[in-house]
Amino acid sequence: MKNRITLKELAKLLNVSVSTVSKALNDSPEISPKTIQRVKELAALHKYRPNPTAVNLKSSKSGTIGVIIPNISNAFFANVLSGIEAQAQKEGLQVITYISNESWEEEKKIVEMLATGFVDGVLIAIAEETQRKKEFGHIQNLIDYDIPVVLYDRIDFDMTVDKIGVDDRKIFFDATKYLQTLNLKKIGIATSIHHMGVGKLRITGYKEALASKEDFFIANSAKPDSLREKLLKLMLQDKVDALLCSDFESTMMAYRLAFENGLGIPKDLKIVGFINGKLARYLAPSVSYVDQKPERIGENAMILLKKRINNPNEKGRDTQIVETELVHLESTASA
Amino acid sequence: MKNRITLKELAKLLNVSVSTVSKALNDSPEISPKTIQRVKELAALHKYRPNPTAVNLKSSKSGTIGVIIPNISNAFFANVLSGIEAQAQKEGLQVITYISNESWEEEKKIVEMLATGFVDGVLIAIAEETQRKKEFGHIQNLIDYDIPVVLYDRIDFDMTVDKIGVDDRKIFFDATKYLQTLNLKKIGIATSIHHMGVGKLRITGYKEALASKEDFFIANSAKPDSLREKLLKLMLQDKVDALLCSDFESTMMAYRLAFENGLGIPKDLKIVGFINGKLARYLAPSVSYVDQKPERIGENAMILLKKRINNPNEKGRDTQIVETELVHLESTASA
DNA sequence: CTGAAAGCGCTTACAG
DNA sequence: CTGAAAGCGCTTACAG
């Protein structure tokens, strides 16, 4: 059953040339309708499909794009990928996924591979370690090779490249302001990503909203044990009224620690989290969360990349901001 | 910066033939050490990388495999993908992901595309709708085309093909037996995937463990509202002592409904769930869960596929079972 | 309207 | 040890 039929074999069976078969299948006006029909019928009979590799070689396009994901276990990135996939299918592009595991070295290896021109374009969310090391040479190199690149989600970097993400500063600014309207005095934040661009911006937004009107209450650590300690201090000593949580880890840890220490949510402590909506609604109590619209980010990232692939010589670079939404559930309900 | 250098251009610069350059770069013994060195130096200088598309065309291999995922928001599949990726990288293969969204039609479209020989092999977890319709023609067709295929996770189908998954019947059999050792009388199950192969097997395991010693308590529905109602009946009317939950939806809904109705976990109700370990530990109380070892499934699926790609003519087909683990957390703690 | 030829960028048997 | 030629499966300018 193996061995797909080729143009050459079709041509032989039809007693015409390879060129004629090729043109007929592509509905060339050069070919007579009668021949087109004959060719197409036999092609259908044999289930002919052009060899994509050969087509790619001719067109010097690969028909694929590379997507670098720092951590696929993170539901946010899984959903972004879902949006990318859906849009790529519409564009007729294949998506090759790479997982950097937040590692600079793995990311570098992937990017260098992609720099060989393996794909028509690249979508990348920059790894945590890369941000920490501030070593962006490999990314810059990719851009310099004129391979279309779009940064998604993690976009707070000084590179001339298309970007799409959310306004992290504004999200926390607005969320803090919202909590203030509930007459909460002590508003704190919890984060395990304070060393990343998006994490920093969220802290900035929080600070700007509070201005110097109140004290800052910040629990920040990438290490679970240390984050736990700092959170406990905020909850039990400082007795904050509300916690803005910047990521999955800090949201779930706040939720869990409230339970362990008998703090009622929202009675004793209000929580706003960064987790996906499906989970947020199942928690008990349900947790108000920031909907980052991951599918939309993915979809628009793909559209942006496709645009750049089609217009490689355009000079300007876009930065797109996707609107987010603060979804109010039980964890911020007023008495 | 664009336009990667080709063999032909290197050859011109070196005043040798294309063949010589090609052979030199591949360390052919036909070529003198001196020439090899000259060629490699210039290639390095120009950062020459062979065009993968051309190499693939020659070798009639694509160096890529296709992975079909029913639903990437499901943490289980995200983690399987992670395992696949890691192993693929070791094997030097690219992974093209496709998301079927549990849809028969989308799956069929993807599979037909892959049947053109676009990839060297395919890993697939069969979509829910496909299972419901019992329409496996497209999958069988892929197999008939001699494209190496490995079914992962959802493997309870009568096809001559390599498979890798867990023993779903045994998992629920053992879990039920375990709950019996806690002296629980009324053990129920909750599932929203009872129409799928893995779901059916889990129910079978539960029934076999109980034998006819007790009544069966089963809440099964793919519709949230209906599942909620059935679960409430089990919890409030039948007053089951424990619930085995078969998937994310039913686990989280049981957790949430216990909270809404003032049932203490584990005091009034014990729960065993199918969710990922990270989440399970953060819940309040933490929920005992079945660790399906998704990374290992992905990794071994990739190994199995690679083996089949390398030995296309071997006749036998493997079914690999990955060992799972019931992790005991607070939700099944005894008083 | 049809076909021979060149070419995409490689590899490899074969000749010298 | 080096190179000319054929070929992987296509597409497309060009000739007839």
Side-chain angles (χ1 to χ4, degrees):
Chain A
M1 197 60 155
K2 192 131 184 178
N3 291 329
R4 316 199 43 72
I5 196 164
T6 65
L7 277 192
K8 204 202 267 186
E9 290 161 335
L10 280 178
K12 194 175 223 171
L13 290 170
L14 289 159
N15 269 319
V16 294
S17 73
V18 170
S19 339
T20 302
V21 178
S22 172
K23 288 174 192 165
L25 290 173
N26 290 306
D27 284 313
S28 162
E30 287 182 60
I31 306 296
S32 73
K34 203 190 287 180
T35 307
I36 292 190
Q37 199 193 338
R38 273 184 69 217
V39 171
K40 286 199 170 172
E41 271 171 12
L42 194 73
L45 184 66
H46 290 278
K47 299 194 179 164
Y48 169 78
R49 292 295 173 97
N51 179 325
T53 307
V55 175
N56 291 339
L57 183 59
K58 273 304 290 184
S59 65
S60 42
K61 291 254 164 186
S62 69
T64 62
I65 64 148
V67 176
I68 305 182
I69 296 167
N71 170 9
I72 190 71
S73 306
N74 184 325
F76 171 76
F77 287 117
N79 290 325
V80 170
L81 178 60
S82 183
I84 293 171
E85 276 287 347
Q87 187 57 32
Q89 194 161 347
K90 286 188 199 159
E91 314 266 14
L93 291 167
Q94 313 293 322
V95 174
I96 307 194
T97 45
Y98 301 90
I99 300 175
S100 68
N101 285 318
E102 303 282 14
S103 146
W104 172 76
E105 202 167 328
E106 292 189 41
E107 181 179 89
K108 193 159 180 284
K109 224 160 65 183
I110 295 163
V111 165
E112 280 171 357
M113 212 230 76
L114 294 176
T116 69
F118 190 70
V119 295
D120 295 340
V122 176
L123 295 175
I124 174 168
I126 296 179
E128 176 183 333
E129 196 190 354
T130 306
Q131 297 187 44
R132 234 188 265 238
K133 289 176 89 120
K134 300 196 169 77
E135 286 272 10
F136 304 108
H138 54 302
I139 315 257
Q140 190 56 53
N141 190 44
L142 193 63
I143 299 169
D144 291 343
Y145 264 125
D146 281 345
I147 292 176
V149 173
V150 172
L151 261 42
Y152 69 92
D153 182 51
R154 301 173 176 183
I155 59 177
D156 185 33
F157 309 103
D158 191 20
M159 286 185 243
T160 306
V161 62
D162 292 304
K163 302 170 185 174
I164 180 165
V166 299
D167 187 343
D168 287 289
R169 194 202 55 80
K170 182 165 182 295
I171 290 172
F172 260 42
F173 183 90
D174 290 350
T176 307
K177 285 292 183 195
Y178 170 74
L179 290 172
Q180 288 177 325
T181 67
L182 301 182
N183 270 324
L184 301 174
K185 293 296 164 224
K186 291 186 177 176
I187 300 172
I189 67 176
T191 178
S192 69
I193 57 168
H194 51 290
H195 48 276
M196 302 224 288
V198 297
K200 281 179 198 151
L201 286 170
R202 289 175 198 168
I203 296 174
T204 304
Y206 160 77
K207 287 185 175 172
E208 287 182 8
L210 284 191
S212 49
K213 273 178 278 179
E214 282 107 331
D215 281 339
F216 300 141
F217 299 96
I218 303 182
N220 59 352
S221 177
K223 295 188 202 126
D225 287 345
S226 162
L227 181 61
R228 170 186 305 264
E229 249 174 63
K230 291 183 176 179
L231 260 174
L232 282 175
K233 176 167 175 303
L234 255 52
M235 287 173 159
L236 303 180
Q237 278 180 240
D238 299 328
K239 294 195 199 312
V240 294
D241 301 307
L243 276 173
L244 280 171
C245 306
S246 179
D247 52 296
F248 177 85
E249 300 295 338
S250 56
T251 304
M252 294 307 295
M253 195 175 279
Y255 172 85
R256 169 87 197 170
L257 288 178
F259 165 79
E260 284 181 9
N261 293 282
L263 293 177
I265 300 175
K267 192 170 67 62
D268 306 316
L269 179 68
K270 310 236 186 309
I271 289 187
V272 172
F274 257 76
I275 53 178
N276 78 81
K278 207 164 139 192
L279 174 59
R281 279 163 217 281
Y282 274 131
L283 292 177
S286 59
V287 170
S288 303
Y289 67 100
V290 176
D291 183 355
Q292 292 185 86
K293 316 283 180 181
E295 285 87 358
R296 193 173 307 166
I297 292 177
E299 189 189 320
N300 287 339
M302 185 64 248
I303 292 174
L304 195 54
L305 182 62
K306 177 72 179 176
K307 200 175 114 196
R308 191 59 58 206
I309 292 173
N310 292 342
N311 309 306
N313 296 319
E314 212 181 286
K315 273 299 154 228
R317 292 291 177 263
D318 286 355
T319 294
Q320 263 185 42
I321 298 302
V322 172
E323 283 298 312
T324 60
E325 187 188 349
L326 176 54
V327 179
H328 301 282
L329 298 176
E330 293 164 355
S331 72
T332 51
S334 293
Chain B
M1 198 62 154
K2 193 132 183 175
N3 291 329
R4 316 200 43 73
I5 196 164
T6 64
L7 277 192
K8 206 203 265 185
E9 291 161 333
L10 280 178
K12 194 176 225 170
L13 289 171
L14 289 159
N15 269 318
V16 296
S17 72
V18 171
S19 340
T20 301
V21 178
S22 172
K23 287 174 191 164
L25 291 173
N26 291 305
D27 284 313
S28 161
E30 288 183 59
I31 306 295
S32 73
K34 203 190 287 181
T35 307
I36 292 190
Q37 201 193 338
R38 273 184 68 216
V39 171
K40 287 198 170 172
E41 270 171 14
L42 194 72
L45 184 66
H46 289 278
K47 297 193 180 165
Y48 169 80
R49 291 296 172 95
N51 178 324
T53 308
V55 175
N56 291 340
L57 183 59
K58 272 305 290 183
S59 65
S60 42
K61 290 255 165 185
S62 69
T64 62
I65 63 147
V67 176
I68 305 182
I69 297 167
N71 170 10
I72 190 71
S73 307
N74 184 325
F76 170 76
F77 287 118
N79 290 326
V80 171
L81 178 60
S82 183
I84 293 172
E85 276 287 347
Q87 188 58 31
Q89 195 162 347
K90 286 189 199 159
E91 314 267 16
L93 290 167
Q94 313 294 321
V95 174
I96 306 194
T97 45
Y98 301 90
I99 300 175
S100 68
N101 284 318
E102 303 282 14
S103 147
W104 173 76
E105 202 166 328
E106 291 188 42
E107 181 179 272
K108 193 159 179 283
K109 224 160 65 184
I110 295 163
V111 165
E112 280 172 357
M113 213 230 75
L114 294 175
T116 69
F118 190 72
V119 294
D120 295 340
V122 176
L123 296 175
I124 174 169
I126 295 179
E128 177 183 333
E129 196 190 355
T130 306
Q131 296 186 45
R132 234 188 267 238
K133 289 176 88 120
K134 299 196 169 79
E135 286 272 9
F136 304 108
H138 54 301
I139 315 256
Q140 190 56 54
N141 190 44
L142 193 64
I143 299 169
D144 291 343
Y145 265 124
D146 283 346
I147 292 176
V149 173
V150 172
L151 261 43
Y152 69 91
D153 182 50
R154 302 174 176 182
I155 58 176
D156 185 32
F157 309 104
D158 190 19
M159 286 184 243
T160 307
V161 63
D162 292 303
K163 302 171 185 173
I164 179 163
V166 299
D167 187 342
D168 287 289
R169 192 203 57 79
K170 183 165 181 296
I171 290 172
F172 260 42
F173 183 90
D174 290 349
T176 306
K177 287 288 184 197
Y178 171 75
L179 289 173
Q180 288 177 325
T181 66
L182 301 182
N183 270 324
L184 302 174
K185 293 296 163 223
K186 292 184 175 177
I187 300 172
I189 69 176
T191 178
S192 69
I193 55 168
H194 51 290
H195 47 277
M196 301 223 290
V198 297
K200 281 179 198 151
L201 287 170
R202 289 175 198 169
I203 296 174
T204 304
Y206 159 78
K207 287 185 173 172
E208 287 181 8
L210 283 191
S212 48
K213 272 178 275 175
E214 282 106 330
D215 281 340
F216 300 141
F217 299 96
I218 302 182
N220 59 352
S221 176
K223 296 188 201 127
D225 287 345
S226 163
L227 181 61
R228 170 185 306 263
E229 248 174 64
K230 291 184 176 178
L231 260 175
L232 282 176
K233 176 168 175 300
L234 255 53
M235 288 173 158
L236 304 180
Q237 278 179 242
D238 299 329
K239 295 195 197 315
V240 295
D241 302 307
L243 276 173
L244 281 171
C245 305
S246 179
D247 51 297
F248 176 86
E249 300 294 338
S250 56
T251 304
M252 294 308 295
M253 194 174 281
Y255 172 85
R256 169 88 197 169
L257 288 177
F259 165 79
E260 285 180 10
N261 293 281
L263 293 177
I265 301 174
K267 192 171 67 61
D268 306 315
L269 178 70
K270 309 231 185 317
I271 290 188
V272 172
F274 258 76
I275 52 178
N276 77 81
K278 207 164 137 192
L279 173 59
R281 278 162 219 281
Y282 274 130
L283 292 177
S286 58
V287 170
S288 304
Y289 67 99
V290 176
D291 183 354
Q292 292 185 87
K293 315 281 181 183
E295 285 88 358
R296 191 173 308 166
I297 291 177
E299 187 189 322
N300 287 340
M302 185 64 248
I303 292 174
L304 197 53
L305 182 62
K306 177 72 178 177
K307 199 174 115 193
R308 191 59 60 205
I309 292 173
N310 291 343
N311 309 305
N313 297 318
E314 211 181 287
K315 274 299 154 226
R317 292 291 175 263
D318 286 356
T319 293
Q320 263 184 43
I321 298 301
V322 172
E323 284 297 314
T324 61
E325 187 188 348
L326 176 54
V327 179
H328 301 282
L329 298 176
E330 293 164 355
S331 71
T332 50
S334 294

mmCIF file of all heavy atoms in Angstrom, chain B residues 17 19-20 23 30 32 35 58, chain D residues 1-5 7-9:
data_model
loop_
_atom_site.group_PDB
_atom_site.id
_atom_site.type_symbol
_atom_site.label_atom_id
_atom_site.label_comp_id
_atom_site.label_asym_id
_atom_site.label_seq_id
_atom_site.Cartn_x
_atom_site.Cartn_y
_atom_site.Cartn_z
ATOM 1 N N SER B 17 34.386 21.137 -6.884
ATOM 2 C CA SER B 17 33.034 20.804 -7.314
ATOM 3 C C SER B 17 32.076 20.707 -6.125
ATOM 4 O O SER B 17 32.495 20.564 -4.975
ATOM 5 C CB SER B 17 33.041 19.466 -8.039
ATOM 6 O OG SER B 17 33.245 18.444 -7.097
ATOM 7 N N SER B 19 30.178 18.260 -5.503
ATOM 8 C CA SER B 19 30.305 16.917 -4.911
ATOM 9 C C SER B 19 31.383 16.897 -3.844
ATOM 10 O O SER B 19 31.213 16.320 -2.773
ATOM 11 C CB SER B 19 30.658 15.874 -5.965
ATOM 12 O OG SER B 19 30.353 16.300 -7.245
ATOM 13 N N THR B 20 32.491 17.506 -4.178
ATOM 14 C CA THR B 20 33.605 17.499 -3.231
ATOM 15 C C THR B 20 33.216 18.196 -1.931
ATOM 16 O O THR B 20 33.494 17.707 -0.833
ATOM 17 C CB THR B 20 34.822 18.197 -3.863
ATOM 18 O OG1 THR B 20 35.160 17.497 -5.049
ATOM 19 C CG2 THR B 20 36.001 18.192 -2.910
ATOM 20 N N LYS B 23 30.831 15.963 0.036
ATOM 21 C CA LYS B 23 31.527 14.830 0.655
ATOM 22 C C LYS B 23 32.426 15.295 1.801
ATOM 23 O O LYS B 23 32.499 14.643 2.841
ATOM 24 C CB LYS B 23 32.361 14.101 -0.389
ATOM 25 C CG LYS B 23 31.524 13.285 -1.363
ATOM 26 C CD LYS B 23 32.414 12.718 -2.455
ATOM 27 C CE LYS B 23 31.612 12.130 -3.601
ATOM 28 N NZ LYS B 23 32.458 11.943 -4.799
ATOM 29 N N GLU B 30 36.630 9.507 0.925
ATOM 30 C CA GLU B 30 37.098 9.744 -0.438
ATOM 31 C C GLU B 30 37.909 11.040 -0.556
ATOM 32 O O GLU B 30 38.624 11.240 -1.520
ATOM 33 C CB GLU B 30 35.894 9.862 -1.391
ATOM 34 C CG GLU B 30 35.160 8.581 -1.681
ATOM 35 C CD GLU B 30 34.031 8.838 -2.690
ATOM 36 O OE1 GLU B 30 34.306 9.303 -3.809
ATOM 37 O OE2 GLU B 30 32.861 8.589 -2.322
ATOM 38 N N SER B 32 40.510 14.147 0.617
ATOM 39 C CA SER B 32 41.762 14.318 1.350
ATOM 40 C C SER B 32 41.535 15.176 2.589
ATOM 41 O O SER B 32 40.718 16.093 2.563
ATOM 42 C CB SER B 32 42.799 14.993 0.460
ATOM 43 O OG SER B 32 42.476 16.348 0.300
ATOM 44 N N THR B 35 41.660 18.912 1.997
ATOM 45 C CA THR B 35 40.457 19.499 1.408
ATOM 46 C C THR B 35 39.324 19.594 2.433
ATOM 47 O O THR B 35 38.635 20.610 2.531
ATOM 48 C CB THR B 35 39.987 18.652 0.212
ATOM 49 O OG1 THR B 35 41.076 18.490 -0.681
ATOM 50 C CG2 THR B 35 38.823 19.324 -0.488
ATOM 51 N N LYS B 58 16.012 14.323 -0.813
ATOM 52 C CA LYS B 58 16.913 13.245 -1.218
ATOM 53 C C LYS B 58 16.637 11.957 -0.453
ATOM 54 O O LYS B 58 16.558 10.883 -1.014
ATOM 55 C CB LYS B 58 18.368 13.655 -0.931
ATOM 56 C CG LYS B 58 19.066 14.415 -2.012
ATOM 57 C CD LYS B 58 19.069 13.714 -3.338
ATOM 58 C CE LYS B 58 19.950 12.471 -3.363
ATOM 59 N NZ LYS B 58 19.954 11.895 -4.718
ATOM 60 P P DC D 1 43.790 10.809 0.023
ATOM 61 O OP1 DC D 1 44.333 11.920 0.812
ATOM 62 O OP2 DC D 1 42.713 9.997 0.580
ATOM 63 O "O5'" DC D 1 43.259 11.384 -1.335
ATOM 64 C "C5'" DC D 1 43.737 12.624 -1.786
ATOM 65 C "C4'" DC D 1 43.034 12.953 -3.047
ATOM 66 O "O4'" DC D 1 42.566 11.741 -3.653
ATOM 67 C "C3'" DC D 1 41.768 13.811 -2.898
ATOM 68 O "O3'" DC D 1 42.069 15.121 -3.347
ATOM 69 C "C2'" DC D 1 40.710 13.140 -3.792
ATOM 70 C "C1'" DC D 1 41.522 12.093 -4.544
ATOM 71 N N1 DC D 1 40.788 10.846 -4.864
ATOM 72 C C2 DC D 1 40.307 10.679 -6.168
ATOM 73 O O2 DC D 1 40.479 11.597 -6.984
ATOM 74 N N3 DC D 1 39.638 9.536 -6.502
ATOM 75 C C4 DC D 1 39.483 8.592 -5.570
ATOM 76 N N4 DC D 1 38.830 7.472 -5.929
ATOM 77 C C5 DC D 1 39.970 8.720 -4.238
ATOM 78 C C6 DC D 1 40.615 9.853 -3.930
ATOM 79 P P DT D 2 41.055 16.305 -3.270
ATOM 80 O OP1 DT D 2 41.813 17.575 -3.333
ATOM 81 O OP2 DT D 2 40.146 15.992 -2.169
ATOM 82 O "O5'" DT D 2 40.267 16.171 -4.627
ATOM 83 C "C5'" DT D 2 40.932 16.472 -5.846
ATOM 84 C "C4'" DT D 2 39.945 16.349 -6.974
ATOM 85 O "O4'" DT D 2 39.513 14.970 -7.081
ATOM 86 C "C3'" DT D 2 38.679 17.170 -6.817
ATOM 87 O "O3'" DT D 2 38.651 18.097 -7.884
ATOM 88 C "C2'" DT D 2 37.531 16.168 -6.868
ATOM 89 C "C1'" DT D 2 38.180 14.947 -7.507
ATOM 90 N N1 DT D 2 37.645 13.625 -7.094
ATOM 91 C C2 DT D 2 37.125 12.796 -8.062
ATOM 92 O O2 DT D 2 37.068 13.093 -9.234
ATOM 93 N N3 DT D 2 36.673 11.598 -7.595
ATOM 94 C C4 DT D 2 36.692 11.150 -6.275
ATOM 95 O O4 DT D 2 36.266 10.043 -5.975
ATOM 96 C C5 DT D 2 37.243 12.066 -5.328
ATOM 97 C C7 DT D 2 37.317 11.693 -3.874
ATOM 98 C C6 DT D 2 37.690 13.255 -5.765
ATOM 99 P P DG D 3 37.405 19.077 -8.102
ATOM 100 O OP1 DG D 3 37.906 20.273 -8.800
ATOM 101 O OP2 DG D 3 36.666 19.187 -6.841
ATOM 102 O "O5'" DG D 3 36.533 18.231 -9.127
ATOM 103 C "C5'" DG D 3 37.145 17.793 -10.343
ATOM 104 C "C4'" DG D 3 36.102 17.184 -11.235
ATOM 105 O "O4'" DG D 3 35.726 15.882 -10.695
ATOM 106 C "C3'" DG D 3 34.803 17.979 -11.337
ATOM 107 O "O3'" DG D 3 34.309 17.808 -12.650
ATOM 108 C "C2'" DG D 3 33.894 17.287 -10.333
ATOM 109 C "C1'" DG D 3 34.321 15.841 -10.516
ATOM 110 N N9 DG D 3 34.080 14.960 -9.393
ATOM 111 C C8 DG D 3 34.281 15.215 -8.057
ATOM 112 N N7 DG D 3 33.994 14.190 -7.282
ATOM 113 C C5 DG D 3 33.572 13.199 -8.172
ATOM 114 C C6 DG D 3 33.134 11.868 -7.909
ATOM 115 O O6 DG D 3 33.043 11.304 -6.830
ATOM 116 N N1 DG D 3 32.791 11.208 -9.081
ATOM 117 C C2 DG D 3 32.878 11.749 -10.347
ATOM 118 N N2 DG D 3 32.503 10.973 -11.351
ATOM 119 N N3 DG D 3 33.286 12.994 -10.598
ATOM 120 C C4 DG D 3 33.618 13.653 -9.469
ATOM 121 P P DA D 4 33.329 18.829 -13.286
ATOM 122 O OP1 DA D 4 34.108 19.850 -14.004
ATOM 123 O OP2 DA D 4 32.367 19.223 -12.251
ATOM 124 O "O5'" DA D 4 32.592 17.904 -14.341
ATOM 125 C "C5'" DA D 4 33.210 16.686 -14.771
ATOM 126 C "C4'" DA D 4 32.164 15.748 -15.320
ATOM 127 O "O4'" DA D 4 31.766 14.832 -14.267
ATOM 128 C "C3'" DA D 4 30.868 16.400 -15.783
ATOM 129 O "O3'" DA D 4 30.304 15.522 -16.743
ATOM 130 C "C2'" DA D 4 30.051 16.465 -14.497
ATOM 131 C "C1'" DA D 4 30.418 15.111 -13.883
ATOM 132 N N9 DA D 4 30.393 15.057 -12.428
ATOM 133 C C8 DA D 4 30.667 16.042 -11.522
ATOM 134 N N7 DA D 4 30.564 15.660 -10.266
ATOM 135 C C5 DA D 4 30.209 14.328 -10.367
ATOM 136 C C6 DA D 4 29.943 13.343 -9.400
ATOM 137 N N6 DA D 4 30.028 13.571 -8.087
ATOM 138 N N1 DA D 4 29.598 12.124 -9.837
ATOM 139 C C2 DA D 4 29.527 11.906 -11.166
ATOM 140 N N3 DA D 4 29.760 12.748 -12.178
ATOM 141 C C4 DA D 4 30.089 13.953 -11.689
ATOM 142 P P DA D 5 28.923 15.833 -17.464
ATOM 143 O OP1 DA D 5 29.064 15.397 -18.869
ATOM 144 O OP2 DA D 5 28.490 17.217 -17.142
ATOM 145 O "O5'" DA D 5 27.947 14.813 -16.712
ATOM 146 C "C5'" DA D 5 28.362 13.465 -16.531
ATOM 147 C "C4'" DA D 5 27.243 12.673 -15.896
ATOM 148 O "O4'" DA D 5 27.347 12.778 -14.455
ATOM 149 C "C3'" DA D 5 25.844 13.170 -16.269
ATOM 150 O "O3'" DA D 5 25.021 12.036 -16.471
ATOM 151 C "C2'" DA D 5 25.409 13.968 -15.046
ATOM 152 C "C1'" DA D 5 26.098 13.190 -13.918
ATOM 153 N N9 DA D 5 26.379 13.963 -12.713
ATOM 154 C C8 DA D 5 26.690 15.298 -12.608
ATOM 155 N N7 DA D 5 26.894 15.696 -11.379
ATOM 156 C C5 DA D 5 26.715 14.556 -10.624
ATOM 157 C C6 DA D 5 26.795 14.312 -9.233
ATOM 158 N N6 DA D 5 27.090 15.246 -8.338
ATOM 159 N N1 DA D 5 26.549 13.055 -8.809
ATOM 160 C C2 DA D 5 26.243 12.109 -9.721
ATOM 161 N N3 DA D 5 26.146 12.217 -11.046
ATOM 162 C C4 DA D 5 26.387 13.477 -11.435
ATOM 163 P P DG D 7 18.656 9.216 -13.800
ATOM 164 O OP1 DG D 7 18.350 7.801 -14.053
ATOM 165 O OP2 DG D 7 18.241 10.264 -14.751
ATOM 166 O "O5'" DG D 7 18.115 9.605 -12.367
ATOM 167 C "C5'" DG D 7 18.704 9.018 -11.205
ATOM 168 C "C4'" DG D 7 18.221 9.777 -10.010
ATOM 169 O "O4'" DG D 7 19.031 10.969 -9.845
ATOM 170 C "C3'" DG D 7 16.772 10.270 -10.161
ATOM 171 O "O3'" DG D 7 16.020 9.828 -9.053
ATOM 172 C "C2'" DG D 7 16.889 11.778 -10.182
ATOM 173 C "C1'" DG D 7 18.189 12.007 -9.422
ATOM 174 N N9 DG D 7 18.831 13.270 -9.687
ATOM 175 C C8 DG D 7 18.962 13.914 -10.898
ATOM 176 N N7 DG D 7 19.568 15.070 -10.797
ATOM 177 C C5 DG D 7 19.856 15.183 -9.433
ATOM 178 C C6 DG D 7 20.507 16.216 -8.719
ATOM 179 O O6 DG D 7 20.970 17.273 -9.157
ATOM 180 N N1 DG D 7 20.582 15.929 -7.353
ATOM 181 C C2 DG D 7 20.099 14.791 -6.767
ATOM 182 N N2 DG D 7 20.266 14.674 -5.455
ATOM 183 N N3 DG D 7 19.494 13.816 -7.421
ATOM 184 C C4 DG D 7 19.406 14.081 -8.742
ATOM 185 P P DC D 8 14.433 9.710 -9.174
ATOM 186 O OP1 DC D 8 14.055 8.301 -9.368
ATOM 187 O OP2 DC D 8 13.959 10.742 -10.120
ATOM 188 O "O5'" DC D 8 13.964 10.162 -7.736
ATOM 189 C "C5'" DC D 8 14.625 9.780 -6.546
ATOM 190 C "C4'" DC D 8 14.342 10.829 -5.505
ATOM 191 O "O4'" DC D 8 15.356 11.842 -5.593
ATOM 192 C "C3'" DC D 8 13.036 11.576 -5.738
ATOM 193 O "O3'" DC D 8 11.989 10.917 -5.023
ATOM 194 C "C2'" DC D 8 13.315 12.975 -5.158
ATOM 195 C "C1'" DC D 8 14.843 13.082 -5.170
ATOM 196 N N1 DC D 8 15.432 14.107 -6.080
ATOM 197 C C2 DC D 8 16.309 15.066 -5.569
ATOM 198 O O2 DC D 8 16.557 15.057 -4.360
ATOM 199 N N3 DC D 8 16.857 15.979 -6.402
ATOM 200 C C4 DC D 8 16.556 15.944 -7.704
ATOM 201 N N4 DC D 8 17.133 16.855 -8.489
ATOM 202 C C5 DC D 8 15.668 14.977 -8.249
ATOM 203 C C6 DC D 8 15.130 14.088 -7.414
ATOM 204 P P DG D 9 10.673 10.462 -5.831
ATOM 205 O OP1 DG D 9 9.921 9.582 -4.909
ATOM 206 O OP2 DG D 9 11.016 10.007 -7.184
ATOM 207 O "O5'" DG D 9 9.874 11.827 -5.992
ATOM 208 C "C5'" DG D 9 9.427 12.504 -4.831
ATOM 209 C "C4'" DG D 9 8.916 13.847 -5.249
ATOM 210 O "O4'" DG D 9 10.008 14.629 -5.777
ATOM 211 C "C3'" DG D 9 7.851 13.822 -6.354
ATOM 212 O "O3'" DG D 9 6.771 14.600 -5.905
ATOM 213 C "C2'" DG D 9 8.544 14.430 -7.551
ATOM 214 C "C1'" DG D 9 9.543 15.357 -6.893
ATOM 215 N N9 DG D 9 10.708 15.690 -7.696
ATOM 216 C C8 DG D 9 11.336 14.910 -8.636
ATOM 217 N N7 DG D 9 12.362 15.495 -9.201
ATOM 218 C C5 DG D 9 12.420 16.736 -8.591
ATOM 219 C C6 DG D 9 13.316 17.810 -8.798
ATOM 220 O O6 DG D 9 14.284 17.877 -9.573
ATOM 221 N N1 DG D 9 13.032 18.903 -7.974
ATOM 222 C C2 DG D 9 11.990 18.938 -7.079
ATOM 223 N N2 DG D 9 11.855 20.056 -6.358
ATOM 224 N N3 DG D 9 11.133 17.937 -6.875
ATOM 225 C C4 DG D 9 11.415 16.880 -7.664
#
